[in-house]
Amino acid sequence: MQDSLISQLRETAAFIQKNYSQRPQVGIVLGSGLGNLSSEIEIEKEVPYKDIPHFPVSTVAGHIGKLVFGKLGGKMVMAMSGRFHYYEGYSLQQVIFPIRLMKLLGIEALLISNAAGGMNRSFKVGDLMAIVDHISLFVPNPLVGKNIDELGTRFPDMSEPYNKQLVAKAKSIAANLGINLKEGIYAGVTGPTFETRAEYKLLHIAGADAVGMSTVQEVIAAAHAGMKVFAMSVITDIGIREEENTITHEEVLQAAADAEPKLTAIFKGLIAEL
Ligand code: HPA
């Protein structure tokens, strides 16, 4: 089955290369409510997911996922417009298929954003956090199964899944733009429920500063394949809180949209300096 997975990936890569002759250098995966960066790409080619062999297809009605190829910050980029989450019912191998495809297409750097709940007591809604490490023990590991040796080793090192140099660069870009970029540890969960008060507390005690329903699987796949990753969370709600308020998806999307321009500016600066 895994043998066929690598041949599927190769077929998919060959299909993309037939449709688009440039080699992308940077992969971009944007989180909920954080998609505006794609609109700044000088688009050269768009390929709907439904046309791509072996690609997961969005099950959500009215949602058109596509790969966007073009230029941003002087680099050739490949952005996913529409991301696959485990909570939507995709298998973990489907969730990481696009990241592995990026690797086969020659991409070496991956930029990821997400919306996340804050647990660090100094965080406020709207803050940006550069992810410096993650806790992914609460979700199944996407590399379970026969290893694909062509992509990476059976037991990948995870001592620096988030590239330290990219974090340092992002910090200096943010400082030059007058943006306060925090740093922290992201805990991955499956969702789709937001966490209970006890769960936020547990994740905080475990060492996490923020929690979200994406990113960790993609980063594991990227680390396995030896890609450099920079990932950033927008804090869209505060999990550890005294008042009896609730969290809604609408509130998360609104907070993400408000913080989006800052995130976009940092990503653009970083791409230009890669
Ligand atoms: N928990 C999990 N995922 C999230 C949250 C949260 O509080 N906010 C945005 N995504």
Side-chain angles (χ1 to χ4, degrees), residues 115-117 194-195 200 211-213 236-237 252:
F194 290 114
E195 290 63 46
Y200 281 119
V211 53
M213 305 176 195
T236 55
D237 51 273
V252 165

Side-chain angles (χ1 to χ4, degrees), residues 23-27 76 99 102-111 163 166 222 225-230 274:
R23 198 190 115 183
Q25 301 161 281
V26 184
M76 304 307 294
I99 307 300
M102 287 176 180
K103 175 66 183 184
L104 260 61
L105 292 174
I107 287 178
E108 281 161 13
L110 177 63
L111 268 54
N163 186 270
L166 294 185
M227 296 160 81
K228 279 187 193 167
V229 175
F230 175 75
L274 278 174

Side-chain angles (χ1 to χ4, degrees), residues 84-164:
F84 303 106
H85 299 92
Y86 187 49
Y87 64 74
E88 291 173 275
Y90 298 103
S91 71
L92 288 167
Q93 290 193 342
Q94 286 178 308
V95 169
I96 63 172
F97 191 91
I99 307 300
R100 292 175 148 175
L101 173 65
M102 287 176 180
K103 175 66 183 184
L104 260 61
L105 292 174
I107 287 178
E108 281 161 13
L110 177 63
L111 268 54
I112 299 187
S113 67
N114 60 52
M119 290 164 318
N120 182 315
R121 288 182 191 276
S122 75
F123 287 1
K124 299 180 307 297
V125 168
D127 277 350
L128 297 182
M129 180 187 95
I131 302 179
V132 294
D133 206 346
H134 76 215
I135 296 171
S136 184
L137 302 174
F138 302 101
V139 296
N141 194 300
L143 303 183
V144 168
K146 189 170 182 293
N147 187 51
I148 303 181
D149 297 334
E150 291 89 334
L151 287 174
T153 177
R154 168 76 291 187
F155 298 106
D157 175 69
M158 289 295 282
S159 59
E160 195 185 326
Y162 302 87
N163 186 270
K164 284 191 180 130

Side-chain angles (χ1 to χ4, degrees), residues 4 13 37 51 71 82 105 115 156 160 189 204 208 210-211 227 233 273:
S4 69
L37 181 65
D51 296 345
K71 228 182 228 161
L105 292 174
E160 195 185 326
V189 292
H204 184 52
V211 53
M227 296 160 81
S233 295
E273 283 193 26

